[in-house]
Amino acid sequence: MTARVEEIRLNLPHVELAAHLYGPEDGQPVLALHGWLDNAATFARLAPKLEGLRIVALDFAGHGHSAHRGAGAGYQLWDYVMDVLLVAEELGWQRFSLLGHSLGGIISMMLASSMPDRVERLALIDGLVPYVGEAEQAPQKLGEALQAQLDLRTKRKPVYATLEQAVEARMKGVGDVSREAAELLAVRGLMPVPGGYTWRTDARLTLPSPLRLTRAHARAFVEALRCPVDLVVAEQGMLASEQLLMTWLTLLPITVHRLPGGHHLHLDDEAGAQAVADCFNRAFAVP
């Protein structure tokens, strides 16, 4: 993790995003998208091991060092998709590839399927389709989401007296991570407040979705993909236990790589990062 990384800012029309920049200026253009409540540091081990790529690893809006969305705005999947497209416009990239983990993999898939002329290749880590909901559940789910928005006004973020306490909390968060991984994410994800530290992330990120895609929607998106797709499935991750999805993948033109490790296998240790890099380096080497 000693490779040179540059911190940059991207001024979109509606929000300012932070990012890490890796690789040679003439490398293949790649936007790297992290998972829910993570940040650009999720690629700190992996990005230096990827060869010949110009990687812009974003902090999504509301995450890491990026700005939060304005009052009244939300964090729906399509909002992230538009952000990524606007980043490409800001960089002057007409065609580019996407490297996505978890939520970042879902955003990558949705952008590639809806704007196939813009995306060269997908390299995904334990993320492909969103959580789905069927039509008959929609009224109840919307009501729950609206109530959660009202309740958020009286909630406060947790405050940790020490960095160590925050790191331990992150180790037990969404997708258990190793201590080193939690430290990397925490350094970028925390800010000092009276009494200790709290997360920089926008509290609205924890709200339930007011509307979910149906299973038919999700399948239509994946079947609309036209670019090469390499998907790493962690054996102890979130996708491996989805038997219906794993069966479905066998029917699609997606190259699946099953690797040992958890949901954050690309960040937990150097061996996991190298295993993922080996898969993706082979993929990106194909003309």
Side-chain angles (χ1 to χ4, degrees):
M1 294 187 294
T2 58
R4 179 175 176 271
V5 57
E6 180 182 348
E7 181 86 27
I8 62 173
R9 308 291 297 187
L10 297 152
N11 291 302
L12 306 187
H14 60 297
V15 68
E16 184 180 65
L17 301 184
H20 279 163
L21 180 62
Y22 297 89
E25 291 186 14
D26 61 351
Q28 297 179 55
V30 177
L31 292 174
L33 312 179
H34 63 77
W36 181 59
L37 301 183
D38 287 347
N39 54 62
T42 196
F43 298 107
R45 289 189 193 271
L46 177 61
K49 301 180 189 316
L50 297 175
E51 302 163 359
L53 306 183
R54 183 65 161 177
I55 299 173
V56 175
L58 298 178
D59 285 337
F60 278 136
H63 296 75
H65 288 192
S66 287
H68 296 184
R69 299 201 192 280
Y75 291 90
Q76 303 310 312
L77 294 174
W78 35 88
D79 297 318
Y80 291 119
V81 172
M82 189 65 201
D83 288 349
V84 175
L85 190 58
L86 287 172
V87 166
E89 294 288 297
E90 181 75 10
L91 295 170
W93 290 357
Q94 180 60 33
R95 280 184 66 80
F96 51 91
S97 294
L98 292 164
L99 166 63
H101 170 241
S102 195
L103 170 66
I106 296 166
I107 303 306
S108 298
M109 180 277 293
M110 293 181 71
L111 178 54
S113 61
S114 57
M115 302 285 284
D117 292 341
R118 300 297 300 270
V119 179
E120 190 78 33
R121 174 179 291 279
L122 293 183
L124 310 179
I125 306 167
D126 224 41
L128 179 66
V129 296
Y131 290 113
V132 297
E134 297 310 317
E136 59 271 16
Q137 301 170 316
Q140 176 188 343
K141 294 299 182 183
L142 177 57
E144 292 171 355
L146 292 172
Q147 187 60 51
Q149 290 185 48
L150 293 176
D151 295 344
L152 189 65
R153 297 174 298 174
T154 59
K155 289 187 177 180
R156 297 292 180 267
K157 292 182 182 179
V159 175
Y160 305 97
T162 65
L163 287 172
E164 179 63 21
Q165 289 179 6
V167 167
E168 290 180 358
R170 181 61 191 88
M171 289 174 65
K172 302 171 185 175
V174 178
D176 292 353
V177 296
S178 68
R179 180 170 296 276
E180 288 187 7
E183 289 172 349
L184 287 166
L185 294 170
V187 166
R188 190 167 182 82
L190 290 170
M191 63 181 182
V193 294
Y197 301 88
T198 194
W199 301 107
R200 295 177 181 272
T201 46
D202 191 330
R204 289 175 291 178
L205 291 167
T206 63
L207 293 173
S209 300
L211 182 66
R212 285 185 172 179
L213 300 180
T214 66
R215 189 178 302 277
H217 281 121
R219 181 155 189 155
F221 270 102
V222 175
E223 291 180 345
L225 289 169
R226 296 294 177 265
C227 66
V229 181
D230 283 80
L231 171 64
V232 166
V233 174
E235 291 180 352
Q236 288 79 48
M238 294 185 175
L239 293 189
S241 61
E242 297 288 337
Q243 293 302 319
L244 183 61
L245 174 61
M246 298 312 298
T247 300
W248 180 28
L249 287 177
T250 64
L251 307 176
L252 297 170
I254 293 176
T255 302
V256 177
H257 309 268
R258 291 178 176 267
L259 296 179
H263 187 56
H264 287 76
L265 76 165
H266 64 295
L267 182 63
D268 280 335
D269 55 44
E270 292 295 327
Q274 188 61 60
V276 175
D278 289 344
C279 295
F280 291 163
N281 280 329
R282 289 192 295 270
F284 278 103
V286 177

